[in-house]
């Protein structure tokens, strides 16, 4: 049988037909597989990106106290808050076809593959903005095929899940610009001291050129090289039609003003306070270290920036000639709100980070204010008498305690509560605690904000139990608040990187003492600054009503006091159980306190302490403690709880005993100078 051979043309046509069918099938299959991959990638969540953001701590007026980033300074901002020039410059120099492609620039890929095959390496890349973002967010910088495949898949996912604007926004917030600045906002602040939205064309072109080599192209390292790179960026912007050649020339010629090294350095104000804020964030509010440092938090504090600087300046002035080991602490709080306004935990943070505002020391006689508030609540008046003389006290079934007055000075006579406060008489204080019982003082102190353990013994009246300046400031603020305790607040609000409020402090004032007793104590504590008072040597520095109390031990020197607007505590001493020098060291607390207080309130007029209902004022003769008459030589205006004031008139100074005395009528509403101006003999 004869075999009929097909003509070559027919065979070729048949083969071509099969090839065409196979090609169609392959294209369809490939398209189907690609569709499956795309659908799969679209359904899969992107890996969680760990984007570190800078946490910023602000003073009450918005001044930046600190930025926390540990080498990765990043402040995420929306695209609308980034200069359009920077976005255009970045696209022009990094990925000119960004707005057209779907994550891959095929021409650049083809060229990169050709070069890599030719050189038998992977030195040539074809990264787009999207692929760079995928690598920065999720991958390492290893140049392996496995990493490149993962990068390609993640690039597709980014393009599927986000718009071009969102991808560009993420990229501009992620990219590294050198000098620890990540993202456009941190870069703008680092190089030009401004926000990213305010960058000019010239500044934007300079920044856009840096990421290719953050160290190599840094204007801080080599300005000429950075300018050459800036010119390439500007030329790319002209090529892409973003700017005109005239704009390019003008931008290149612009004289850029960079930040100085000093401006880029970390803030050095309130270092002890910043440590305290960090402690609160983690321990009180439960925010972990990673979120605190890298979470992009905005922490708004209560600190008064200018007041803090004044506190540091006053301390530096007075401690300059002191013993190098002598330490100091200062805390200032607004009594009405509890807001901390100034906070100094030591004389030199660089040498010692130990925070003495929170350290426990014996408060000495400054603790008597708490005792006398309890005494006033128990019926004492400013004229309650006790004898000041050497006394041995017996307690707890035979234990003996023999306190002494400073310098062994005693009145050897009966003195009033007013006098005991002014002269800081220790015998009067121990007799008072003996009459009330030590446990009453413990309970009073706890109500006023003392949290440390207190030993209920007679010596507690003289401050034998260690407490911190922080606690004492809280207690004195309670007195200034007419018996209402407002716990100190350092942080007003914490906001996360997305604007959610994590913490917002709302102050609550808790009544813990009688307002009348608090006012009477405040009036008597003003006598501490009179000529016979323990703080008389700083009276000339003060130009407003102040109330306070000194305190001293062999190891500590205190002055705690307040005005209606501010309560401040100053402690001076040594850290390691070393006695203070009574002549050289101890006197420093008072002038530091007085100068700080006046400086801190220099922009405010003097104000009087608020007088609550139930208080009556009368003129008293200090010699007889009776109501003064027009014949008494030194009448004094004193304040009492209504009904406890003296009832009998002084008769010792009457020219004619048969003529009834003419009392001095106290003013119904004592003027400022009646209540304040004559107190210190001015």
């Amino acid at each position: 049988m004869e075999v009929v051979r097909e003509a070559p043309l027919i065979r070729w046509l048949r083969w071509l037909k099969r090839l065409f069918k196979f090609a169609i099938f392959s294209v369809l299959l490939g398209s189907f597989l690609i569709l499956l991959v795309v659908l799969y990638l679209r359904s899969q969540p992107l890996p969680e990106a760990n984007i570190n953001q800078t946490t910023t701590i602000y003073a009450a007026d918005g001044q930046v106290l600190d930025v926390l980033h540990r080498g990765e300074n990043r402040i995420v901002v929306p695209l609308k808050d980034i200069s359009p020039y920077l976005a255009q410059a970045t696209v022009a120099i990094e990925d000119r076809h960004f707005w057209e492609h779907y994550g891959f620039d095929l021409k650049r890929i083809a060229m990169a593959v050709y070069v890599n095959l030719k050189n038998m390496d992977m030195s040539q890349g074809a990264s787009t903005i999207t692929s760079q973002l995928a690598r920065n967010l999720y991958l390492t910088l290893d140049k392996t095929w496995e990493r490149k495949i993962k990068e390609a898949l993640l690039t597709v996912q980014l393009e599927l899940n986000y718009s071009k604007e969102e991808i560009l926004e993420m990229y501009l917030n992620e990219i590294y610009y050198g000098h620890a600045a990540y993202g456009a906002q941190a870069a703008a602040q680092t190089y030009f001291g401004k926000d990213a939205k305010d960058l000019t064309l010239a500044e934007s072109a300079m920044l856009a050129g840096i990421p290719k080599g953050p160290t190599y192209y840094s204007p801080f390292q080599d300005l000429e090289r950075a300018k050459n790179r800036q010119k390439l960026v500007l030329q790319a912007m002209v090529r892409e039609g973003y700017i005109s050649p005239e704009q390019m020339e003008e931008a290149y010629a612009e004289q850029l003003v960079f930040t100085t090294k000093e401006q880029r350095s970390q803030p050095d104000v309130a270092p002890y306070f910043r440590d305290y804020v960090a402690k609160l964030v983690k321990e009180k509010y439960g925010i972990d270290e990673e979120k605190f440092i890298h979470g992009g938090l905005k922490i708004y504090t209560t600190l008064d920036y200018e007041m803090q600087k004044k506190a540091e300046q006053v301390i530096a002035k007075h401690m300059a000639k002191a013993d190098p080991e002598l330490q100091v602490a200062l805390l200032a709080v607004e009594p009405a709100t509890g807001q901390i306004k100034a906070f100094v935990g030591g004389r030199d943070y660089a040498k010692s980070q130990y925070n003495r505002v929170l350290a426990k020391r014996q408060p000495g006689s400054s603790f008597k204010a708490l005792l006398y508030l309890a005494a006033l609540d128990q019926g004492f008046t400013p004229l309650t008498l006790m004898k000041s003389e050497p006394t041995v006290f017996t307690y707890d079934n035979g234990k003996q305690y023999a306190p002494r007055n400073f310098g062994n000075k005693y009145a050897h006579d009966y003195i009033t509560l007013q006098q005991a406060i002014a002269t800081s008489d220790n015998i009067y204080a121990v007799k008072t605690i003996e009459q009330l019982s030590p446990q009453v003082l413990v309970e009073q102190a706890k109500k006023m904000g003392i949290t440390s353990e207190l030993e209920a013994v007679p010596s507690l009246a003289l401050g034998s139990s260690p407490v911190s300046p922080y606690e004492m400031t809280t207690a004195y603020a309670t007195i200034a608040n007419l018996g209402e305790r407002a716990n100190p607040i350092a942080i007003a609000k914490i906001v996360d990187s997305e604007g959610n409020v994590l913490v917002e402090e709302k102050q609550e004032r808790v009544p813990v003492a009688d307002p009348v007793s608090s006012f009477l104590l405040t009036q008597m504590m003003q006598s501490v600054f009179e000529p016979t008072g323990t703080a008389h040597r700083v009276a000339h520095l003060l130009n407003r009503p102040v109330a306070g109390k000194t305190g001293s031990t062999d190891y500590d020197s205190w002055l705690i006091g307040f005005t209606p607007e501010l309560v401040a505590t100053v402690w001076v001493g040594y850290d390691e159980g070393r006695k203070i020098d009574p002549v050289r060291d101890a006197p420093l607390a008072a002038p530091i306190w007085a100068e700080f207080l006046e400086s801190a309130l220099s922009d405010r007029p003097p104000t009087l302490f608020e007088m609550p209902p139930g208080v009556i004022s009368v003129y008293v003769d200090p010699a007889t403690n009776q109501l003064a008459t027009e014949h008494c030589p030194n009448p004094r205006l004193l304040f009492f709880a209504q009904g406890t004031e003296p009832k009998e008139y002084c008769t010792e100074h009457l020219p004619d005993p048969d003529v009834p005395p003419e009392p001095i009528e106290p003013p119904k509403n004592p003027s400022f100078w009646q209540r304040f101006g004559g107190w210190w003999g001015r």
Side-chain angles (χ1 to χ4, degrees), residues 200-495:
T200 65
L201 171 58
E203 293 165 342
S204 296
M206 175 61 72
L207 288 186
I210 294 175
K212 182 176 177 65
T215 301
Y216 189 77
Y217 290 115
S218 166
F220 297 149
Q221 302 293 338
D222 191 323
L223 182 56
E224 182 179 356
R225 188 186 296 143
K227 286 292 291 182
N228 291 336
R229 178 68 176 164
Q230 178 200 38
K231 190 168 188 178
L232 287 177
V233 174
L234 290 168
Q235 289 170 342
M237 294 181 75
V238 172
R239 181 193 65 211
E240 299 304 314
Y242 291 126
I243 62 174
S244 66
E246 292 75 20
Q247 287 177 293
M248 178 189 74
E249 294 298 333
E250 183 179 342
Y252 184 70
E254 182 179 317
Q255 186 71 33
L256 296 177
V257 179
F258 297 102
T259 56
T260 64
K261 186 177 181 180
E262 290 72 23
Q263 289 172 321
R264 296 192 297 275
S265 62
Q266 286 284 76
D268 59 359
V269 174
Y272 294 98
F273 178 74
R274 300 194 317 254
D275 282 356
Y276 176 59
V277 166
K279 176 183 173 73
L280 289 178
V281 167
K282 289 178 277 190
E283 296 181 8
K284 181 178 180 180
Y285 303 119
I287 296 173
D288 61 47
E289 177 83 4
E290 181 64 22
K291 188 169 185 179
F292 174 53
I293 301 296
H294 293 141
L297 304 179
K298 289 180 173 60
I299 302 174
Y300 300 95
T301 73
T302 62
L303 197 79
D304 186 305
Y305 191 85
E306 292 302 319
M307 199 178 289
Q308 175 69 25
K309 288 200 298 184
K310 290 176 179 178
E312 294 176 1
Q313 289 164 1
V314 169
I315 285 174
K317 169 188 170 183
H318 285 277
M319 300 297 285
K321 296 182 180 180
D323 185 298
E325 300 301 317
L326 188 68
Q327 282 295 343
V328 64
L330 183 152
L331 179 63
V333 171
E334 192 174 77
T337 64
Q339 293 186 0
I340 293 174
K341 295 301 177 183
F343 189 114
V344 181
R347 65 188 290 181
D348 190 341
Y349 184 81
K351 293 181 179 179
S352 171
Q353 291 80 53
Y354 181 58
N355 194 339
R356 295 155 191 88
V357 167
L358 306 177
K360 295 181 181 180
R361 306 291 298 232
Q362 288 185 335
S365 292
S366 65
F367 207 73
K368 293 174 184 174
L370 286 64
L371 169 68
Y372 292 140
L373 183 60
L376 289 164
D377 279 345
Q378 296 288 328
F380 275 51
T381 79
L383 297 180
T384 297
L385 296 170
M386 290 188 186
K387 194 170 186 180
S388 171
E389 61 183 355
T391 306
V392 176
F393 296 89
T394 303
Y395 69 102
D396 282 357
N397 299 319
K399 292 181 181 179
Q400 290 190 329
Y401 176 51
R404 295 181 303 166
N405 279 349
F406 180 76
N408 287 317
K409 294 180 180 179
Y410 303 91
H412 295 284
D413 198 354
Y414 285 91
I415 62 173
T416 65
L417 175 56
Q418 172 96 28
Q419 293 169 317
I421 291 175
T423 61
S424 198
D425 192 279
N426 289 338
I427 304 303
Y428 193 107
V430 178
K431 286 184 175 180
T432 300
I433 197 174
E434 185 181 51
Q435 185 170 325
L436 299 181
S437 86
Q439 188 57 38
V440 168
L441 177 54
V442 170
E443 293 170 1
Q444 179 72 43
K446 294 294 183 184
K447 289 190 294 183
M448 295 174 70
I450 303 297
T451 57
S452 296
E453 286 294 321
L454 301 175
E455 191 176 2
V457 293
S459 62
L460 182 60
L462 309 184
S464 60
S465 291
V467 295
S468 69
Y470 180 93
E471 294 171 272
M472 291 300 290
T473 306
T474 306
Y476 272 62
T478 302
I479 301 170
N481 274 337
L482 295 178
E484 292 185 345
R485 190 185 73 239
N487 292 328
I489 293 175
I491 296 174
K493 186 164 64 172
I494 301 177
V495 179

